[in-house]
Every structure is written in structure tokens, then in C-alpha cells.
């Protein structure tokens, strides 16, 4: 007689399609969960001894079980506000955007500031940047700040200028500008760090409002199968939104339903970074790296290019800080053992970031640093091989390619550079590690959108493909959302794949992505989300 198996599973998940992340195709398997760990994986028969009177058994037939999604790049509190703000992406003119602002403002008489996101003049008939006067007509008495699609410039009304004391005499910050007309008056468009003049007031949220919007955000993430995320510092303009203590409160109250990896700012103050790293080191909430900006965005002409913009030959776009400062910060932080992640969007910025990492390696010696470059929208072909050589992770958001108006984008950089826009496959083919993520709230949080764009390369026409040769396989896209982010946060022994001994962060989708045409990826919804062995979302309900 065999001995009674001592430990019993809390839950057993069974499916004909389990994507473990260890191979490129799903297999039939059963998974036993004990506490917060995966205790066993095998056939249904193999797992019989794990079944006790309390064990819950979940059968999913042909629905896909996979590791929980790990969003390698997003902005939590900014995203929480986004979920409670005006979404302007669908506006097709300045007037229509203003009308949407008016309706929203009328429905929210108690809001002191009117905040909006995602307008894009590239989609408007005239393609012209808007002016404060059109907002003043609909909103003369309350300040408004409306972030452009990329989040690197914004449109404000006259009341916002007044409340924030911004006039014709206000000077531009080091990286950024207040656009002015021929009379020197602000037009209502503000770029990069100039946004901080407004966000420091607009984002003054009460504790209650933060708790409410964060709860809403965590529910939203759970419903999309996101079990871990990286919260990246998002420039001076958003500094006021960094509130790690409130995440700690959620953790202490048992309300944190996703693992949060924090990325404070990289600058000369490494003591602050060290303090934060010591303070936040739990399994659910920890500092994993430092973040900084090398440049801005293409359509704002703030992305740093090696050669001038095709339609603005007077500029290559600037760097957010002088190159020697960037290199010094990297060398110093790398020496202290920090992992560093850079926003670098133009080919000039990508090269500078790679150069900074290479120089740090020469000065400090080669170590397991897992530095990363975020976005990489444009890259010079001679830099593609350097990611693998330097051990740098490429962190790419394919849905940005869909969100951008292709015609406007290509008019900025030209067809030749356009061939290397979002060069996911080229980078992956060198053997480099590629992470896929959302950059929420710049685009939506749903991993399915990113995976669909990575696999199909469909652009905003919904028909054409943008550089279709850069498509990657479904398995590589899923690994980019699970395996690589686990590695990028130094947690590949705990997260990222379904293996015995790893943490039970698991998601079940309503269909097997490997057995349906690629257009169905966008229709796929999450059946169940498990974080740390606990079901936090199931069949539309939060627990």
C-alpha cells in the first residue's frame, strides 16, 4: 500500500492547453497549487495524490493556461488617473476634442482640474496643433490639462496658465518649452519638462481619491491577467505622482493584487535610490532598477535622432540631459550595482544609451547588470547587434506603432529610417532578450493589444502592416510578456514560467491563442487571474 500523500493542494488547474513558457507550444497538463507555490505539474493521473477533501478542481478544457502577464513598463498612479479622465483619442478635430472636454466637465462639477489624455493632431483633418482659445470657449473658469497621445506634450487652457502663473515672461526649462505665438503669448501647448509647471498643481490628489483610483486600477489589471508590473519613473512632470507609501498601505491591508516592481529616478542622488531599495524589498513590492530619459518623442520633435528630422531639417531633437551627465550617472549607478533602464526613442538616443552602458562596462567591469532600453522606436541598423553583445534588454511596446498615425510619423523620420521602426524581430534574431509591455496609460493596459501588434504588425489603418518582416511569433510575444520581464527584474527563479517551486501567478484565457487566427487575439478575454496562489479575478468577478 502506498503512503498517503501528506500535503494536499488548495487548487488544481487542468487544461488541454498549458503554455509553460519552457517550450514554444502548449501541452495538456494539470497544475497543483499549494499555498502561494506551484507544487506539481503533470497528468491528471499524476496529480491524484495531491487531491484532498478541500482541494478545488478547475477544468478549462481547451482554454489556455499560462504564466501571469508581467507588464515590464507602465505608470501606475498616472494610469489610475487616466481611467477616471477624458479619453480624447477618438476626436477627429480640435473642436470635437473641445466638445468632449465640455461634456466631461459638465458631468464633473466637483473636479477642480479637468484632466484628459490621448489626443493626437495627426488624426485631425487639419493636422494642426490646437490652441488654448478653443478650450477657453468651453471651459473658461476651470483649469484643464490634456496630454497628447505620447504623454510628452500637453494642451492647456488660459485658466490653467493663470492658476500656474505661466505668462509670456515665463522661461523654458532645460528640456522642454512653452510654445508662444508671434506676440510672445503662450499658445496653450507645453512640451516635456515645462509640463511640470502644471502637473504639480493638477495632480494634487487627496488620499481618498488616490485610494479609490488605485483600487479601480488594480481591478482593471486583474481583469486583464496582469499579475506583476514595473512602475517606472515618468519625468519631472509626473514626479508628484510617485507615492510608494500608498502601495505599501495596499500591501499591508492585503489589497495588493499584483506584484509591483518600483523604478525610482536615476540621477546624482544615489543615496535616495539606496534608501528606497532598502525600504522596499518584499515579494509583492520592491525596488528593482532606476529609470531615466535620454529623449522625448518623434511627433513632438523631442526624440533625439542621429540625422535631422525629414520635415524639420533644422533639428535632430535634443537629449534630456547632456550626454556626459547621462554617462556619469550610468557609470556611478552601475558601480553601486543598480540596474538601469533608459527611455530612448530616436536612433541617436538609443545609440547614446548603448554607449553609456558600454562605457560603464569598461569602467566597472562586466557584471550581470540587466540594463534595459525602453521603446527603441527608431534604431540605426549598425546598433541592432549591440543589445545581445552588451547584455542589454530591449523593451518594446508594439501597440505604440498602432497608436501612431503612420503617415505623420513617417513624414517626421522619412522612409529610410522608417524601415527600422519598432525593429522587434531584427533585435530578437541577434539573440537579445526582448520584453513586450504597454507603457499604460500612453496606450491601453490590455496585453492582447500588444501581442496582436507584435505578431501581425497591423497599423492604424487596421489593414496595412508596418514593416511586416518585423513580426515575431506568438510564443516569442508571450515570452516577452512573461519570461523576459521575470529575468529583467532578477526574478526568473520565482516568476515567468509555470514550473514546480515557482510562485503561483497564473492566468487562464478564454481560448487557446495557438489554435485561433491572429485577429482573434484581440477578442480574447481573461477567465481567471491568480496572484500568489490566490484567485483575484474569475469570470468577471473580483475577489
Amino acid at each position: 500500500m502506498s503512503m498517503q500523500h501528506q500535503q494536499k493542494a488548495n487548487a488544481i488547474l487542468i487544461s488541454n492547453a498549458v503554455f509553460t513558457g519552457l517550450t514554444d507550444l502548449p501541452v495538456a497538463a494539470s497544475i497543483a497549487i499549494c499555498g502561494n507555490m506551484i507544487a506539481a505539474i503533470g497528468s491528471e493521473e499524476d496529480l491524484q495524490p495531491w487531491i484532498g477533501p478541500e482541494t478545488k478542481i478547475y477544468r478549462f478544457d481547451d482554454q489556455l493556461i499560462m504564466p501571469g502577464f508581467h507588464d515590464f513598463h507602465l505608470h501606475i498612479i498616472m494610469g489610475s488617473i487616466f481611467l477616471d479622465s477624458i479619453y480624447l483619442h477618438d476626436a477627429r478635430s480640435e473642436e470635437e476634442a473641445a466638445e468632449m472636454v465640455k461634456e466631461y466637465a459638465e458631468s464633473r462639477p466637483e473636479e477642480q482640474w479637468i484632466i484628459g489624455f490621448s489626443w493626437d493632431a495627426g488624426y485631425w483633418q487639419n493636422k494642426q496643433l490646437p490652441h488654448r482659445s478653443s478650450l477657453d470657449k468651453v471651459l473658461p473658469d476651470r483649469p484643464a490639462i490634456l496630454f497628447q497621445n505620447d504623454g510628452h506634450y500637453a494642451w492647456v487652457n488660459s485658466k490653467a496658465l493663470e492658476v500656474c502663473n505661466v505668462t509670456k515672461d515665463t522661461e523654458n526649462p532645460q528640456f522642454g518649452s512653452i510654445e508662444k505665438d508671434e506676440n510672445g503669448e503662450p499658445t496653450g501647448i507645453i512640451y516635456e519638462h515645462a509640463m511640470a509647471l502644471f502637473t504639480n498643481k493638477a495632480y494634487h490628489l487627496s488620499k481618498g481619491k488616490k485610494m479609490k483610483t488605485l483600487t479601480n486600477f488594480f481591478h482593471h489589471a486583474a481583469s486583464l491577467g496582469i499579475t506583476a508590473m514595473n512602475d517606472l519613473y515618468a519625468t519631472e512632470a509626473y514626479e508628484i505622482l510617485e507615492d510608494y507609501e500608498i502601495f505599501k498601505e495596499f500591501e499591508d491591508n492585503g489589497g495588493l493584487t499584483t506584484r509591483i516592481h518600483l523604478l525610482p529616478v536615476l540621477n546624482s542622488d544615489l543615496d535616495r535610490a539606496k534608501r528606497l531599495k532598502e525600504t522596499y524589498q518584499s515579494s509583492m513590492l520592491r525596488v528593482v532598477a532606476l529609470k531615466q530619459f535620454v529623449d522625448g518623442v518623434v511627433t513632438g520633435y523631442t526624440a533625439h535622432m542621429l540625422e535631422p528630422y525629414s520635415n524639420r531639417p533644422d533639428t535632430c531633437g535634443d537629449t534630456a540631459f547632456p550626454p556626459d551627465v547621462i554617462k556619469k550617472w550610468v557609470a556611478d549607478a552601475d558601480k553601486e550595482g543598480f540596474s538601469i533602464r533608459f527611455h530612448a526613442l530616436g536612433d541617436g538616443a538609443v545609440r547614446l544609451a548603448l554607449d553609456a552602458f558600454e562605457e560603464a562596462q569598461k569602467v566597472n567591469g562586466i557584471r550581470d547588470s540587466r540594463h534595459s532600453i525602453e521603446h527603441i522606436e527608431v534604431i540605426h541598423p549598425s546598433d541592432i547587434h549591440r543589445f545581445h553583445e552588451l547584455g542589454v534588454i530591449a523593451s518594446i511596446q508594439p501597440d505604440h506603432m498602432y497608436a501612431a498615425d503612420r503617415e505623420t510619423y513617417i513624414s517626421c523620420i522619412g522612409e529610410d529610417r522608417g524601415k527600422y521602426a519598432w525593429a522587434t524581430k531584427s533585435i530578437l534574431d541577434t539573440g537579445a532578450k526582448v520584453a513586450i509591455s504597454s507603457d499604460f496609460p500612453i496606450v491601453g493596459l490590455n496585453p492582447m493589444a500588444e501581442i496582436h501588434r507584435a505578431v501581425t504588425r497591423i497599423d492604424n489603418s487596421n489593414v496595412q502592416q508596418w514593416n511586416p518582416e518585423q513580426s515575431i511569433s506568438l510564443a516569442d510575444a508571450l515570452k516577452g510578456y512573461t519570461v523576459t520581464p521575470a529575468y529583467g527584474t532578477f526574478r526568473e527563479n520565482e516568476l515567468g514560467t509555470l514550473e514546480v517551486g515557482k510562485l503561483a501567478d497564473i492566468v487562464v484565457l478564454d481560448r487557446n491563442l495557438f489554435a485561433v487566427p491572429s485577429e482573434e487575439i484581440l477578442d480574447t478575454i481573461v477567465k481567471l487571474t491568480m496572484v500568489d496562489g490566490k484567485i483575484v479575478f474569475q469570470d468577471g468577478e473580483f475577489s
Side-chain angles (χ1 to χ4, degrees):
M1 189 179 115
S2 68
M3 281 184 63
Q4 179 77 26
H5 195 281
Q6 290 187 330
Q7 201 179 6
K8 299 300 177 192
N10 304 71
I12 291 183
L13 311 180
I14 305 166
S15 169
N16 299 322
V18 176
F19 180 75
T20 61
L22 299 169
T23 57
D24 284 351
L25 287 171
V27 292
S30 300
I31 305 167
I33 314 295
C34 287
N36 67 343
M37 309 289 279
I38 297 174
I41 300 179
S43 69
E44 227 177 299
E45 204 179 354
D46 296 337
L47 267 57
Q48 283 304 318
W50 291 90
I51 300 175
E54 304 291 304
T55 306
K56 289 195 169 138
I57 297 174
Y58 299 90
R59 291 183 183 279
F60 293 104
D61 300 327
D62 297 321
Q63 295 176 321
L64 189 72
I65 299 178
M66 61 171 282
F69 290 112
H70 185 156
D71 196 317
F72 200 53
H73 184 130
L74 52 72
H75 310 290
I76 296 178
I77 296 184
M78 185 178 158
S80 310
I81 296 167
F82 168 87
L83 291 172
D84 199 30
S85 302
I86 328 167
Y87 180 65
L88 297 164
H89 196 265
D90 300 331
R92 287 297 169 265
S93 67
E94 180 174 351
E95 295 68 33
E96 193 182 337
E99 195 51 42
M100 290 161 89
V101 169
K102 182 181 180 210
E103 280 173 32
Y104 176 88
E106 283 168 358
S107 72
R108 303 287 182 103
E110 76 294 344
E111 294 287 346
Q112 291 180 315
W113 273 82
I114 299 301
I115 298 173
F117 289 88
S118 308
W119 61 271
D120 190 341
Y123 285 112
W124 297 352
Q125 286 98 339
N126 65 4
K127 298 202 184 297
Q128 298 296 309
L129 286 175
H131 193 271
R132 62 189 161 96
S133 56
S134 54
L135 287 180
D136 296 344
K137 280 184 201 137
V138 297
L139 199 67
D141 51 353
R142 275 189 285 171
I145 182 162
L146 312 170
F147 297 96
Q148 192 270 350
N149 204 20
D150 298 313
H152 284 251
Y153 51 105
W155 172 24
V156 297
N157 63 353
S158 297
K159 190 68 182 175
L161 292 165
E162 179 196 316
V163 168
C164 299
N165 301 320
V166 174
T167 66
K168 61 194 310 187
D169 303 321
T170 307
E171 298 206 357
N172 288 330
Q174 182 211 333
F175 181 62
S177 60
I178 300 154
E179 187 184 74
K180 292 174 182 167
D181 62 21
E182 61 277 9
N183 302 320
E185 293 292 344
T187 64
I189 299 292
I190 42 167
Y191 291 93
E192 302 291 352
H193 291 177
M195 294 190 297
L197 299 166
F198 300 84
T199 48
N200 287 335
K201 286 205 164 60
Y203 279 155
H204 243 308
L205 308 184
S206 69
K207 177 92 178 283
K209 170 118 176 163
K210 270 189 195 171
M211 297 298 274
K212 182 171 150 277
T213 57
L214 276 171
T215 301
N216 184 21
F217 169 77
F218 292 139
H219 280 172
H220 185 52
S223 75
L224 296 170
I226 297 163
T227 57
M229 53 184 63
N230 290 15
D231 185 34
L232 282 81
Y233 169 81
T235 92
E236 270 178 37
Y238 302 112
E239 202 154 3
I240 188 170
L241 295 180
E242 281 211 351
D243 188 345
Y244 298 166
E245 284 159 29
I246 205 162
F247 299 154
K248 180 81 173 75
E249 256 182 70
F250 272 90
E251 183 187 19
D252 292 345
N253 301 334
L256 201 51
T257 52
T258 181
R259 295 180 201 279
I260 299 179
H261 302 100
L262 302 166
L263 285 94
V265 62
L266 164 70
N267 54 27
S268 56
D269 187 1
L270 285 177
D271 287 339
R272 174 180 182 260
K274 282 185 202 159
R275 279 196 309 274
L276 288 169
K277 194 169 183 178
E278 282 158 21
T279 308
Y280 298 101
Q281 254 331 305
S282 76
S283 183
M284 291 301 289
L285 184 64
R286 66 171 64 172
V287 168
V288 292
L290 302 177
K291 151 92 188 288
Q292 194 43 280
F293 286 73
V294 179
D295 67 344
V297 293
V298 167
T299 57
Y301 303 96
T302 54
H304 179 52
M305 309 301 286
L306 291 167
E307 301 289 329
Y309 281 88
S310 302
N311 58 359
R312 284 271 306 270
D314 59 321
T315 184
C316 291
D318 213 347
T319 54
F321 304 93
D324 56 332
V325 171
I326 288 170
K327 288 176 176 177
K328 180 172 182 354
W329 285 351
V330 170
D332 292 350
D334 178 78
K335 190 175 185 181
E336 295 287 347
F338 280 103
S339 190
I340 298 155
R341 293 173 57 189
F342 270 126
H343 167 117
L345 218 135
D347 55 7
V350 172
R351 180 169 294 176
L352 175 57
L354 288 165
D355 289 349
F357 292 146
E358 187 169 3
E359 285 179 31
Q361 232 176 51
K362 284 179 183 151
V363 180
N364 301 327
I366 293 177
R367 64 181 187 88
D368 185 12
S369 54
R370 307 192 195 182
H371 300 318
S372 159
I373 299 179
E374 307 294 318
H375 312 309
I376 318 167
E377 289 188 9
V378 192
I379 188 169
H380 192 280
S382 66
D383 288 321
I384 287 171
H385 64 97
R386 297 177 68 196
F387 285 86
H388 179 58
E389 284 167 17
L390 295 168
V392 174
I393 297 165
S395 169
I396 296 176
Q397 299 75 33
D399 200 31
H400 282 24
M401 174 182 63
Y402 179 83
D405 178 66
R406 183 168 168 181
E407 201 185 321
T408 307
Y409 199 97
I410 294 296
S411 69
C412 294
I413 61 169
E415 293 289 348
D416 286 350
R417 283 182 289 201
K419 290 189 186 83
Y420 294 96
W422 289 273
T424 320
K425 179 88 162 70
S426 295
I427 296 171
L428 195 62
D429 282 350
T430 64
K433 292 190 179 342
V434 174
I436 306 287
S437 58
S438 72
D439 196 13
F440 181 74
I442 304 305
V443 296
L445 190 58
N446 189 354
M448 292 305 140
E450 299 292 343
I451 289 160
H452 180 259
R453 313 312 177 208
V455 170
T456 65
R457 302 289 296 196
I458 299 282
D459 69 13
N460 62 306
S461 67
N462 285 314
V463 190
Q464 305 311 123
Q465 291 175 288
W466 194 334
N467 299 345
E469 68 284 358
Q470 295 294 346
S471 301
I472 61 172
S473 72
L474 176 61
D476 282 333
L478 293 179
K479 287 177 185 179
Y481 241 112
T482 52
V483 177
T484 310
Y487 170 85
T489 48
F490 295 85
R491 300 191 74 174
E492 70 273 21
N493 297 325
E494 304 172 276
L495 303 173
T497 55
L498 301 180
E499 291 179 79
V500 172
K502 287 200 171 180
L503 293 166
D505 288 9
I506 301 172
V507 61
V508 183
L509 306 179
D510 71 346
R511 66 199 77 190
N512 177 1
L513 295 179
F514 291 85
V516 298
S518 58
E519 57 268 23
E520 269 193 47
I521 296 172
L522 287 175
D523 303 327
T524 301
I525 59 168
V526 169
K527 293 279 295 172
L528 177 143
T529 305
M530 177 183 277
V531 177
D532 217 37
K534 292 187 278 290
I535 292 172
V536 296
F537 175 82
Q538 187 178 4
D539 293 328
E541 299 291 318
F542 302 101
S543 42

